[in-house]
Amino acid sequence: MYQTIITDLQNHILTITINRPDKLNALNKTVLSELDMVLNEVYENTEIRSVIITGSGAKSFVAGADIAEFSGLSMEEGMELAIKGQNIFFKIENAPKPVVACVNGFALGGGCELAMSCHFRVASENAKFGQPEVNLGLIPGYGGTQRLVQLVGKGRAIELLTSAVMIDANTALQYGLVNHVVPQEELLQKAKSILDLINSKAPLAVAGCITAANAVFNERQNGFEIEVNEFGKCFGTSDMQEGTQAFLEKRKAIFTGK
Ligand code: COA
């Protein structure tokens, strides 16, 4: 069905693997539109409770936007490309289900931006992060200037953005860019075990946490008001009735996502 991504749904976790290993999984137009399509499935399919995004092969997560597609673009076309990429990455960030990046190697340029649009990141020991756009006379266009500042702070972000220096997985861990660093062969399992735990919680409450946390970075929203709304909405769910009742009855809650 897809040409450049592989999808696999197991135990309510959808694993999306970007599959252009000969080009280090660079994001060309096809990858971007297939990501866009699979995200619609993520939003709509109730069998999917959480998502992993990773890259094919042992070397690269995603080594950036496909540089071959940049040549000959006008300023307007450059802006259109950035808007298109940003919108797809907003779709990841605003997904009502946790999306985790399993960074299995190079996460450069658009690859680092893709990882940063996910709700959190787990990296293998060989992972490398960087925004090398200035080497090409460019800046990040898929949200990287914003999310890198949000995740690592302005000083570190501006140093990384302007120097194009790559950081290794342990530095990324120290910067707070990734939550965990594990040997490559344990990468997917680590993310799956975190997601299995999250998937055992009330899905609408999980979605509410994501919505409220995202509001911190949305200037058009008051995060505390969003929290009030999301908290209130929980009281209208049968899962909240079940969760509180189960606690009082000293049994495990059975959530239905309603
Ligand atoms: N866009 C298009 N093609 C890319 C790519 C990208 N972002 N990154 C890697 N590739 C391609 C290479 O052109 C090469 O293709 P070829 O075999 O047809 O020549 C293939 O992937 C393998 O990459 P190669 O450079 O040979 O691997 P390496 O191990 O020597 O170097 C990197 C790895 C990641 C350091 C290097 O590929 C690189 O610097 N990539 C670009 C990173 C970048 O600037 N990203 C930001 C883009 S905005």
Short mmCIF file of all heavy atoms in Angstrom, two decimals, residues 22-24 26 59 63-68 70 106 108-110 132-133 136 138 166, ligand 1:
data_model
loop_
_atom_site.label_atom_id
_atom_site.label_comp_id
_atom_site.label_asym_id
_atom_site.label_seq_id
_atom_site.Cartn_x
_atom_site.Cartn_y
_atom_site.Cartn_z
N ASP A 22 18.74 3.14 1.45
CA ASP A 22 19.85 3.53 0.55
C ASP A 22 20.06 5.04 0.53
O ASP A 22 21.13 5.52 0.16
CB ASP A 22 19.61 2.98 -0.87
CG ASP A 22 18.26 3.39 -1.43
OD1 ASP A 22 17.28 3.46 -0.63
OD2 ASP A 22 18.15 3.67 -2.63
N LYS A 23 19.05 5.81 0.95
CA LYS A 23 19.19 7.28 1.06
C LYS A 23 19.10 7.70 2.52
O LYS A 23 18.67 8.82 2.85
CB LYS A 23 18.09 7.98 0.25
CG LYS A 23 18.16 7.73 -1.25
CD LYS A 23 19.36 8.44 -1.87
CE LYS A 23 19.48 8.14 -3.36
NZ LYS A 23 20.78 8.58 -3.91
N LEU A 24 19.49 6.80 3.40
CA LEU A 24 19.48 7.05 4.85
C LEU A 24 18.11 7.56 5.33
O LEU A 24 18.01 8.37 6.24
CB LEU A 24 20.61 7.99 5.27
CG LEU A 24 22.03 7.54 4.86
CD1 LEU A 24 23.08 8.48 5.45
CD2 LEU A 24 22.32 6.11 5.29
N ALA A 26 15.99 9.58 3.95
CA ALA A 26 15.72 11.01 3.74
C ALA A 26 14.25 11.20 3.35
O ALA A 26 13.64 10.37 2.67
CB ALA A 26 16.64 11.57 2.66
N LYS A 59 21.70 2.26 10.57
CA LYS A 59 22.57 3.43 10.48
C LYS A 59 21.85 4.75 10.69
O LYS A 59 22.41 5.70 11.26
CB LYS A 59 23.22 3.41 9.08
CG LYS A 59 24.25 4.48 8.86
CD LYS A 59 24.97 4.26 7.53
CE LYS A 59 25.83 5.46 7.18
NZ LYS A 59 26.50 5.31 5.89
N ALA A 63 18.04 11.02 7.72
CA ALA A 63 19.19 11.93 7.56
C ALA A 63 18.78 13.28 6.98
O ALA A 63 19.60 13.99 6.40
CB ALA A 63 20.26 11.28 6.70
N GLY A 64 17.50 13.62 7.10
CA GLY A 64 17.08 14.96 6.70
C GLY A 64 16.05 14.95 5.60
O GLY A 64 15.63 13.88 5.12
N ALA A 65 15.65 16.15 5.21
CA ALA A 65 14.83 16.29 4.01
C ALA A 65 15.70 15.84 2.84
O ALA A 65 16.94 15.85 2.93
CB ALA A 65 14.42 17.74 3.84
N ASP A 66 15.05 15.41 1.76
CA ASP A 66 15.82 14.94 0.60
C ASP A 66 16.41 16.15 -0.12
O ASP A 66 15.69 16.92 -0.77
CB ASP A 66 14.91 14.13 -0.34
CG ASP A 66 15.74 13.39 -1.37
OD1 ASP A 66 16.71 13.99 -1.90
OD2 ASP A 66 15.44 12.23 -1.65
N ILE A 67 17.73 16.30 0.00
CA ILE A 67 18.41 17.50 -0.51
C ILE A 67 18.27 17.58 -2.04
O ILE A 67 18.21 18.67 -2.60
CB ILE A 67 19.90 17.49 -0.07
CG1 ILE A 67 19.99 17.51 1.46
CG2 ILE A 67 20.66 18.68 -0.65
CD1 ILE A 67 21.38 17.23 2.03
N ALA A 68 18.14 16.42 -2.68
CA ALA A 68 18.01 16.40 -4.14
C ALA A 68 16.75 17.14 -4.60
O ALA A 68 16.70 17.63 -5.74
CB ALA A 68 18.00 14.96 -4.64
N PHE A 70 15.64 19.92 -3.35
CA PHE A 70 15.72 21.37 -3.05
C PHE A 70 16.13 22.21 -4.24
O PHE A 70 15.82 23.39 -4.31
CB PHE A 70 16.74 21.64 -1.92
CG PHE A 70 16.26 21.25 -0.54
CD1 PHE A 70 17.15 21.23 0.53
CD2 PHE A 70 14.93 20.94 -0.30
CE1 PHE A 70 16.71 20.90 1.80
CE2 PHE A 70 14.49 20.60 0.96
CZ PHE A 70 15.38 20.57 2.03
N PHE A 106 21.33 8.26 12.56
CA PHE A 106 21.31 9.70 12.26
C PHE A 106 19.90 10.29 12.35
O PHE A 106 18.97 9.77 11.71
CB PHE A 106 21.83 9.96 10.84
CG PHE A 106 23.31 9.71 10.66
CD1 PHE A 106 23.77 8.71 9.82
CD2 PHE A 106 24.24 10.51 11.33
CE1 PHE A 106 25.12 8.49 9.65
CE2 PHE A 106 25.60 10.30 11.17
CZ PHE A 106 26.04 9.28 10.33
N LEU A 108 19.08 13.87 11.51
CA LEU A 108 19.68 15.14 11.07
C LEU A 108 18.64 15.96 10.33
O LEU A 108 17.76 15.41 9.65
CB LEU A 108 20.86 14.86 10.12
CG LEU A 108 21.99 14.01 10.70
CD1 LEU A 108 23.04 13.74 9.62
CD2 LEU A 108 22.61 14.67 11.93
N GLY A 109 18.74 17.28 10.45
CA GLY A 109 17.84 18.16 9.72
C GLY A 109 16.39 17.77 9.95
O GLY A 109 15.94 17.68 11.09
N GLY A 110 15.67 17.50 8.86
CA GLY A 110 14.27 17.09 8.96
C GLY A 110 14.07 15.84 9.81
O GLY A 110 12.98 15.62 10.35
N PRO A 132 22.02 20.32 10.48
CA PRO A 132 23.15 20.78 9.65
C PRO A 132 22.75 21.71 8.51
O PRO A 132 23.55 21.94 7.59
CB PRO A 132 23.71 19.46 9.10
CG PRO A 132 22.55 18.53 9.09
CD PRO A 132 21.58 18.97 10.12
N GLU A 133 21.54 22.29 8.56
CA GLU A 133 21.06 23.09 7.42
C GLU A 133 21.99 24.23 7.04
O GLU A 133 22.10 24.57 5.86
CB GLU A 133 19.65 23.64 7.71
CG GLU A 133 18.54 22.60 7.63
CD GLU A 133 18.32 21.83 8.92
OE1 GLU A 133 19.15 21.92 9.83
OE2 GLU A 133 17.31 21.12 8.99
N LEU A 136 24.20 23.98 4.24
CA LEU A 136 23.61 24.04 2.90
C LEU A 136 23.11 25.44 2.57
O LEU A 136 22.42 25.63 1.57
CB LEU A 136 22.42 23.06 2.82
CG LEU A 136 22.69 21.60 3.20
CD1 LEU A 136 21.38 20.85 3.37
CD2 LEU A 136 23.55 20.91 2.15
N LEU A 138 20.94 26.96 4.48
CA LEU A 138 19.52 26.88 4.83
C LEU A 138 19.33 26.98 6.33
O LEU A 138 20.30 26.92 7.10
CB LEU A 138 18.98 25.51 4.39
CG LEU A 138 18.48 25.36 2.96
CD1 LEU A 138 18.20 23.89 2.67
CD2 LEU A 138 17.22 26.19 2.75
N MET A 166 26.96 17.95 15.36
CA MET A 166 26.12 16.80 15.73
C MET A 166 26.42 16.41 17.17
O MET A 166 27.57 16.46 17.59
CB MET A 166 26.52 15.58 14.88
CG MET A 166 25.85 15.48 13.57
SD MET A 166 26.27 13.85 12.88
CE MET A 166 26.81 14.31 11.27
N1 COA B 1 19.05 13.93 1.17
C1 COA B 1 19.28 13.18 0.10
N2 COA B 1 20.13 12.13 0.08
C2 COA B 1 20.79 11.84 1.22
C3 COA B 1 20.60 12.59 2.40
C4 COA B 1 19.68 13.68 2.35
N3 COA B 1 19.42 14.43 3.41
N4 COA B 1 21.41 12.08 3.35
C5 COA B 1 22.06 11.04 2.81
N5 COA B 1 21.68 10.90 1.51
C6 COA B 1 22.15 9.87 0.55
C7 COA B 1 23.55 10.17 0.04
O1 COA B 1 23.49 11.10 -1.02
C8 COA B 1 23.97 8.78 -0.42
O2 COA B 1 23.32 8.51 -1.64
P1 COA B 1 24.15 7.76 -2.84
O3 COA B 1 24.59 6.44 -2.25
O4 COA B 1 23.13 7.63 -3.92
O5 COA B 1 25.29 8.67 -3.16
C9 COA B 1 23.34 7.88 0.63
O6 COA B 1 22.27 8.62 1.22
C10 COA B 1 24.28 7.47 1.74
O7 COA B 1 24.82 8.63 2.32
P2 COA B 1 26.40 8.91 2.46
O8 COA B 1 26.60 10.39 2.52
O9 COA B 1 27.15 8.15 1.43
O10 COA B 1 26.69 8.24 3.88
P3 COA B 1 27.87 8.61 4.91
O11 COA B 1 27.85 7.54 5.93
O12 COA B 1 29.12 8.91 4.19
O13 COA B 1 27.39 10.00 5.58
C11 COA B 1 25.79 11.52 6.61
C12 COA B 1 26.23 10.06 6.39
C13 COA B 1 24.44 11.49 7.32
C14 COA B 1 26.82 12.27 7.46
C15 COA B 1 25.65 12.21 5.23
O14 COA B 1 24.85 11.41 4.40
C16 COA B 1 25.03 13.59 5.28
O15 COA B 1 25.67 14.54 5.68
N6 COA B 1 23.73 13.70 4.89
C17 COA B 1 23.05 14.95 4.79
C18 COA B 1 22.61 15.43 6.13
C19 COA B 1 21.94 16.76 6.03
O16 COA B 1 22.51 17.76 5.67
N7 COA B 1 20.64 16.78 6.36
C20 COA B 1 19.87 17.99 6.37
C21 COA B 1 19.13 18.13 5.13
S1 COA B 1 18.16 19.60 5.20
#
